[in-house]
Amino acid sequence: MLQLYFSPMACSLSSRIALMEAGLDARYHLVHLRTKKVADDDGDFRGISPKGAVPVLVLANGERLTESAAVLQCIADLTPESGLAPRPDDADRYRLQEWLSFIGAEIHKAFLFPTFWYKDDASLAKPRARIAQTLSVPSAHLAEREFLVGNRFTVADAHLTWALLLLRPAGVDIAPWPTLVAYLERMQARPAVRDAIATEMALRKTMAA
Amino acid sequence: MLQLYFSPMACSLSSRIALMEAGLDARYHLVHLRTKKVADDDGDFRGISPKGAVPVLVLANGERLTESAAVLQCIADLTPESGLAPRPDDADRYRLQEWLSFIGAEIHKAFLFPTFWYKDDASLAKPRARIAQTLSVPSAHLAEREFLVGNRFTVADAHLTWALLLLRPAGVDIAPWPTLVAYLERMQARPAVRDAIATEMALRKTMAA
């Protein structure tokens, strides 16, 4: 069975959404990112992945894959019938990779990561000044589209859904981008997306308690 | 013919390396990233790509593709015989995507980007404090390997070569990682890599003059 190392509401949420959209069973291992401990047995998460970051997808053969862009495409390809990624010989596959890169680099690494890990205002002034321009890119793209790539839900939507959800706790109200507000509502209306978020929000509350 | 919008020694250098390793002809358009002008005709680069970032690869059908992870995989797949990427049905393809994501997010977006665009010490203290841990990941991986993925040069090596080259002007000496020093020397000994770098270094000197 597949296994996913995750932390509630961290970027591994996209991988959980993808697994649930694909109808794939998996064992989920909760990781405390600040202490680098795996909750199951209080073990050292760096023993699982030296990067110390989620997601880590453990494949049926025991290999461990990291980085959302790779993990999400791998999950999609395990269930080609799910349509979670265009087939590798479809030109839209590069559009999927383009969006995964943009979300991972521009929204996550350039903004959400410093916001949640650096925290001090001095580190955050420049990232904060850029986020509106960053969000204008998916907003313009989605103005007349239901999904990021093609005309169905893909793992790029799973990733953007996570990123948009995290903007509010990061202090960014997306109300000035009604296209993004409507998109996030559409995505959250999907049963798999809704269930994945509910599961992780409940776990997060337990951890904070 | 393919076209590549690039800026000398920016991350689009990896795409030039990939094109030259693949033996693909292309028209290269120089972009001034700070003014967002295309040097050919002083035109507005945001008219080519609203993101205002390089690389932009223009395909034979006129479509424009952005984001190094997507552009590099597209170039590789145009010449499957080049071996610049594992075939899409090879499990190593996910390893390629994993490295492209890591280089793009952790070295480029989390460190090189703030160094060259934010510049002020306040913005850079936290990114600088992280870079040694980031570099330990490819250093450990390459300890007993010639290339990042499989046993031949791929577009992931093109991307890491660029990132390592930029560390010096970003104020990071890679001497403490002899594995990375040796790797960079190996990569720069490849004729296509050497020629791509020489071309862009010459253009950069012209711009600075």
Side-chain angles (χ1 to χ4, degrees):
Chain A
M1 189 188 287
L2 294 166
Q3 302 174 59
L4 184 75
Y5 287 83
F6 78 102
S7 186
M9 300 307 290
C11 65
S12 47
L13 174 59
S14 332
S15 297
R16 182 190 291 267
I17 291 173
L19 287 165
M20 292 177 72
E21 285 277 352
L24 285 168
D25 281 334
R27 275 179 54 203
Y28 292 88
H29 303 280
L30 192 152
V31 176
H32 296 286
L33 286 177
R34 306 227 170 235
T35 58
K36 308 296 178 196
K37 294 282 186 187
V38 181
D40 300 345
D41 58 0
D42 212 34
D44 179 12
F45 179 50
R46 291 202 187 269
I48 303 295
S49 173
K51 289 179 182 174
V54 292
V56 177
L57 181 69
V58 186
L59 303 171
N61 66 6
E63 284 197 27
R64 293 165 188 164
L65 188 65
T66 64
E67 303 289 329
S68 290
V71 166
L72 290 169
Q73 290 186 75
C74 181
I75 292 169
D77 292 340
L78 285 170
T79 53
E81 69 284 3
S82 69
L84 283 169
R87 303 290 171 112
D89 60 353
D90 181 333
D92 268 351
R93 183 67 172 231
Y94 303 112
R95 297 296 168 197
L96 183 90
Q97 293 165 351
E98 185 177 44
W99 279 109
L100 290 175
S101 173
F102 181 82
I103 298 160
E106 302 297 337
I107 308 182
H108 181 196
K109 199 51 62 172
F111 180 75
L112 294 172
F113 177 83
T115 299
F116 291 115
W117 286 87
Y118 298 164
K119 295 186 173 175
D120 60 296
D121 286 339
S123 297
L124 300 184
K126 296 283 176 70
R128 279 187 193 131
R130 275 186 93 236
I131 187 66
Q133 187 195 318
T134 300
L135 294 177
S136 72
V137 175
S139 178
H141 181 76
L142 288 165
E144 290 176 16
R145 292 164 183 268
E146 192 170 353
F147 303 104
L148 282 175
V149 179
N151 56 8
R152 62 191 298 179
F153 183 92
T154 68
V155 290
D157 297 301
H159 210 32
L160 184 58
T161 296
W162 164 74
L164 293 178
L165 276 175
L166 270 280
L167 285 172
R168 183 191 293 262
V172 175
D173 181 358
I174 63 170
W177 296 276
T179 298
L180 297 180
V181 172
Y183 169 83
L184 184 56
E185 279 175 9
R186 282 199 306 280
M187 297 303 114
Q188 288 187 275
R190 298 175 67 88
V193 174
R194 192 186 58 216
D195 292 352
I197 295 169
T199 299
E200 298 215 353
M201 284 297 286
L203 283 168
R204 196 164 168 81
K205 279 183 189 153
T206 311
M207 286 168 72
Chain B
M1 187 189 287
L2 294 166
Q3 301 175 60
L4 184 75
Y5 287 83
F6 79 102
S7 187
M9 301 305 291
C11 66
S12 45
L13 174 58
S14 336
S15 297
R16 182 190 291 267
I17 292 173
L19 287 164
M20 293 178 71
E21 286 276 352
L24 285 168
D25 281 333
R27 274 179 54 203
Y28 292 88
H29 304 279
L30 193 151
V31 176
H32 295 287
L33 286 177
R34 304 222 173 241
T35 57
K36 309 295 180 199
K37 294 281 186 188
V38 181
D40 300 344
D41 58 0
D42 212 35
D44 179 11
F45 179 51
R46 290 201 188 270
I48 304 294
S49 173
K51 289 178 181 175
V54 292
V56 178
L57 182 70
V58 186
L59 303 171
N61 65 7
E63 285 198 27
R64 294 167 187 163
L65 188 64
T66 65
E67 303 289 330
S68 289
V71 167
L72 290 169
Q73 290 187 74
C74 181
I75 292 169
D77 291 340
L78 285 170
T79 54
E81 68 285 2
S82 69
L84 283 168
R87 303 289 171 112
D89 59 354
D90 182 333
D92 268 351
R93 183 68 171 229
Y94 302 112
R95 297 296 168 195
L96 183 90
Q97 293 165 351
E98 185 176 44
W99 279 110
L100 290 175
S101 172
F102 181 81
I103 299 160
E106 303 296 338
I107 308 183
H108 182 195
K109 201 48 64 171
F111 180 74
L112 295 172
F113 177 82
T115 299
F116 291 114
W117 287 86
Y118 297 164
K119 295 185 170 175
D120 60 295
D121 286 338
S123 297
L124 299 183
K126 296 281 175 70
R128 281 187 191 130
R130 275 186 94 236
I131 188 65
Q133 187 195 319
T134 300
L135 294 177
S136 72
V137 175
S139 179
H141 182 75
L142 289 164
E144 292 176 15
R145 291 165 185 268
E146 192 171 352
F147 303 103
L148 283 175
V149 179
N151 54 9
R152 62 190 298 176
F153 183 93
T154 68
V155 291
D157 297 301
H159 211 31
L160 183 58
T161 296
W162 164 75
L164 293 178
L165 277 175
L166 269 279
L167 285 172
R168 182 191 293 262
V172 175
D173 181 358
I174 62 169
W177 295 276
T179 297
L180 297 180
V181 173
Y183 169 83
L184 184 56
E185 280 175 10
R186 281 200 306 279
M187 297 303 114
Q188 288 186 275
R190 298 174 68 87
V193 175
R194 193 187 55 216
D195 292 352
I197 296 169
T199 299
E200 298 214 355
M201 284 298 285
L203 283 167
R204 197 166 168 80
K205 280 181 190 155
T206 312
M207 286 169 73

